[in-house]
Amino acid sequence: HVQLVESGGGSVQAEGSLRLSCGVSGRSSGSSFCMGWFRQAPGKEREAVATISRDGSATYADTVKGRFTISQDYAKTLISLQMDSLVPEDTAVYYCAAAPGNNYAQARALSPDTYIHWGQGTQVTVS
């Protein structure tokens, strides 16, 4: 059973930076996953932030392009989200998610419905 554990959230001032990490465990040998970071602010729907396919192709929401960078280690056990130039609108609970498969078209990659494994979330607050 795939388990995802996020870390690295916290409070930061506007224009600051944070780095989120997602530890991936429990995947079976040879399995492929697309990984994503999503966020949900109070009163709002969960939205995509960034996704990365098994081969390393990244997709970003327009609101974070040029500010956030998603990456994964060679073993695909650590997914990171470097967040720079943070603004108050980035305040949300950030979730790591996994979807079985190698790659998805952009629309599917950015849809929460594509992902079947989710972490517990980590709070990011920008003031």
Side-chain angles (χ1 to χ4, degrees), residues 13 28 32 40 45 49 55 68 79:
Q13 291 187 337
S28 58
S32 297
Q40 188 165 18
E45 293 187 353
V49 175
D55 65 1
F68 291 11
I79 314 300

Coordinates of all heavy atoms in Angstrom, one line a residue, residues 13 28 32 40 45 49 55 68 79:
Q13 N 7.2 34.8 5.6 CA 6.8 36.1 5.1 C 6.7 36.2 3.6 O 7.4 35.4 2.9 CB 7.7 37.2 5.6 CG 7.6 37.4 7.2 CD 8.4 38.6 7.6 OE1 9.4 39.0 7.0 NE2 8.0 39.2 8.8
S28 N 5.2 -1.1 -5.0 CA 5.7 -2.4 -5.4 C 6.8 -2.2 -6.4 O 6.8 -1.2 -7.1 CB 4.6 -3.3 -5.9 OG 4.0 -2.7 -7.0
S32 N 4.8 2.2 -11.5 CA 5.1 3.6 -12.0 C 4.0 4.5 -11.5 O 2.8 4.1 -11.5 CB 5.1 3.6 -13.5 OG 6.2 2.8 -14.0
Q40 N -5.1 23.2 -0.9 CA -6.5 23.5 -0.6 C -6.5 24.6 0.5 O -6.0 24.4 1.6 CB -7.3 22.3 -0.1 CG -8.8 22.6 0.0 CD -9.6 21.3 0.1 OE1 -9.1 20.2 0.4 NE2 -10.9 21.4 -0.2
E45 N -11.8 24.8 -3.3 CA -11.6 23.4 -3.8 C -10.1 23.1 -3.8 O -9.2 24.0 -4.0 CB -12.2 23.2 -5.1 CG -13.7 23.3 -5.1 CD -14.3 23.0 -6.5 OE1 -13.6 22.8 -7.4 OE2 -15.6 22.9 -6.6
V49 N -1.0 22.1 -8.0 CA 0.1 23.1 -7.9 C 1.2 22.7 -9.0 O 1.6 23.5 -9.8 CB 0.8 23.1 -6.5 CG1 2.0 24.0 -6.5 CG2 -0.2 23.5 -5.5
D55 N 9.0 10.0 -15.9 CA 10.3 10.3 -16.7 C 10.8 11.7 -16.3 O 11.7 12.2 -17.0 CB 10.1 10.2 -18.2 CG 9.0 11.1 -18.7 OD1 8.5 11.9 -17.9 OD2 8.7 11.1 -19.9
F68 N 7.6 28.1 -8.4 CA 7.7 26.8 -7.8 C 8.4 25.8 -8.7 O 8.3 25.9 -10.0 CB 6.3 26.2 -7.5 CG 5.6 26.9 -6.4 CD1 6.0 28.1 -5.9 CD2 4.4 26.4 -5.9 CE1 5.3 28.8 -4.9 CE2 3.7 27.0 -4.9 CZ 4.1 28.2 -4.4
I79 N 9.8 13.3 -3.3 CA 9.3 14.3 -4.2 C 9.3 15.6 -3.5 O 8.8 15.8 -2.4 CB 7.8 14.0 -4.6 CG1 7.6 12.6 -5.0 CG2 7.4 14.9 -5.7 CD1 8.5 12.1 -6.1

